[in-house]
Amino acid sequence: MNAVTKTYKQEGHLVHALRGVTVSLPRGGFTAVMGPSGSGKSTFLHCAAGLDTPTSGTVHLGEVELSQMNETRLTELRRDKAGFVFQAFNLIPALSIVDNITLPLRLAGVRPDRAWLEEIIRRVGLERRMTHRPSQLSGGQQQRVAIARALVTRPEVVFADEPTGALDTTTAAEVLGLLRQVVDTTGQTVVMVTHDPVAAAYADHVLFLAEGMIVEEMRSAPAGAIARRMSDLGRQMAAA
Ligand code: ADP
Ligand code: MG
C-alpha cells in the first residue's frame, strides 16, 4: 500500500480517514493493526482488501494492483484471494454450519474440496456441529464458523476486523489461537484490526494508526509492552 489517502464527506465537511499510508504487509505473516477508535483502522482494512477504493495512492494485493480494477474485477479478486472475518459473525441463520462454511464456494460455483473442508472443520474444532444452526452455537463457536468460512476458498489473505470484539476473554483466546495457527500451519497471511493489546500480542507485526497515519511499527511483543506503547502514543498525540 503506497501513499494511500481516504477522504469521506460527512455532513458537508471532509473527514480524512487515511492521510498517506505506505506499508507492506509481510506475506505469510500475522499483522495486527492497532489504534484508538476513529483512527482509520477499518478504513485501512477495507482499502487493503479492495472493499473500498482509496481517494489517492495505490494498493497491491499479492501481485495485482487494485486501483486499476473495476468493481467486477475487484469482486472476483476478493472472492479468490481474500477471506473476511468481522466482529459480527454474519452467519446465515437458516443454513446449517456446514452450509454456512461452504457458502463462498457455492457463490463462486466451485465444488468443495472434501479433504480441505474436513481439515478446516477439524482445525476449528466443529466436527460435531455441522448440522446445527448458528443460533445453537456459542459466540466463540460462531466466530470459529466464520473463520472456517473465510478459509474455505484457501485465500492468500484473511482480513479480520475486531474479530474478538464481541467475545469474552476465554473464547477470544481460542479464536486468536486459531488465527495464529492458520498463519503457522498454512502460510496464509492474516491482517487483523483490533484495539485490544492482548489480541495484538498474537501477531508477529503490529502497526499503530493514529489520526489516519501509521505512527509506529513493532515486532511481536507481549500485551503489556503493546499496551504501554499505545498509551505513550496516546499521550504524545494529546500533547501535540
Ligand atoms: P476505526 O476503525 O479506527 O474506528 P474508521 O476507519 O472506521 O476508524 O473511521 C475513521 C474515520 O473515518 C472516522 O472519523 C469515521 O467517522 C470516518 N468514516 C469511516 N467510514 C466512513 C464513511 N463511510 N462515511 C463517512 N465517514 C466515515
Ligand atoms: Mg473500526
Side-chain angles (χ1 to χ4, degrees):
M1 175 177 293
N2 196 23
V4 166
T5 72
K6 179 71 185 180
T7 305
Y8 293 108
K9 209 175 249 154
Q10 224 177 55
E11 288 156 17
H13 65 99
L14 297 177
V15 178
H16 300 283
L18 296 177
R19 307 170 184 254
V21 172
T22 298
V23 70
S24 61
L25 305 173
R27 189 178 288 208
F30 187 168
T31 300
V33 181
M34 295 208 73
S37 173
S39 58
K41 300 184 298 297
S42 293
T43 305
F44 172 86
L45 196 82
H46 295 164
C47 288
L51 284 168
D52 204 348
T53 325
T55 305
S56 65
T58 56
V59 178
H60 286 79
L61 187 56
E63 311 297 297
V64 292
E65 215 268 280
L66 306 189
S67 57
Q68 306 304 322
M69 293 187 173
N70 61 28
E71 195 46 52
T72 314
R73 282 284 294 121
L74 278 177
T75 305
E76 286 169 8
L77 186 87
R78 286 195 301 265
R79 193 184 68 199
D80 297 341
K81 299 204 173 200
F84 295 93
V85 181
F86 297 100
Q87 178 172 339
F89 318 125
N90 299 332
L91 303 180
I92 299 188
L95 293 184
S96 67
I97 297 310
V98 69
D99 286 346
N100 266 283
I101 293 173
T102 54
L103 185 62
L105 295 174
R106 287 202 306 286
L107 291 175
V110 175
R111 194 181 282 278
D113 170 344
R114 293 297 323 170
W116 175 245
L117 183 60
E118 276 165 26
E119 172 167 350
I120 55 177
I121 288 168
R122 184 157 23 85
R123 199 180 298 162
V124 298
L126 292 164
E127 299 97 318
R128 296 210 302 277
R129 298 277 185 269
M130 283 303 109
T131 57
H132 288 60
R133 307 277 159 206
S135 62
Q136 297 173 289
L137 268 53
S138 70
Q141 289 170 332
Q142 291 187 52
Q143 193 60 305
R144 276 153 42 200
V145 175
I147 292 173
R149 180 185 55 190
L151 293 173
V152 78
T153 57
R154 298 177 186 261
E156 283 175 30
V157 192
V158 174
F159 294 97
D161 194 349
E162 305 272 6
T164 56
L167 303 178
D168 63 56
T169 317
T170 313
T171 46
E174 279 170 30
V175 163
L176 292 161
L178 184 59
L179 290 172
R180 180 71 252 173
Q181 208 194 356
V182 164
V183 173
D184 292 340
T185 60
T186 66
Q188 281 162 308
T189 306
V190 174
V191 182
M192 174 182 73
V193 161
T194 180
H195 62 264
D196 177 6
V198 173
Y202 284 78
D204 17 64
H205 181 219
V206 186
L207 302 177
F208 293 84
L209 270 178
E211 297 177 11
M213 288 174 288
I214 292 181
V215 291
E216 177 83 30
E217 296 190 38
M218 249 172 124
R219 297 295 305 158
S220 59
I226 296 171
R228 273 194 300 283
R229 201 72 205 100
M230 270 283 272
S231 62
D232 289 350
L233 290 167
R235 256 196 306 281
Q236 283 168 28
M237 299 299 296

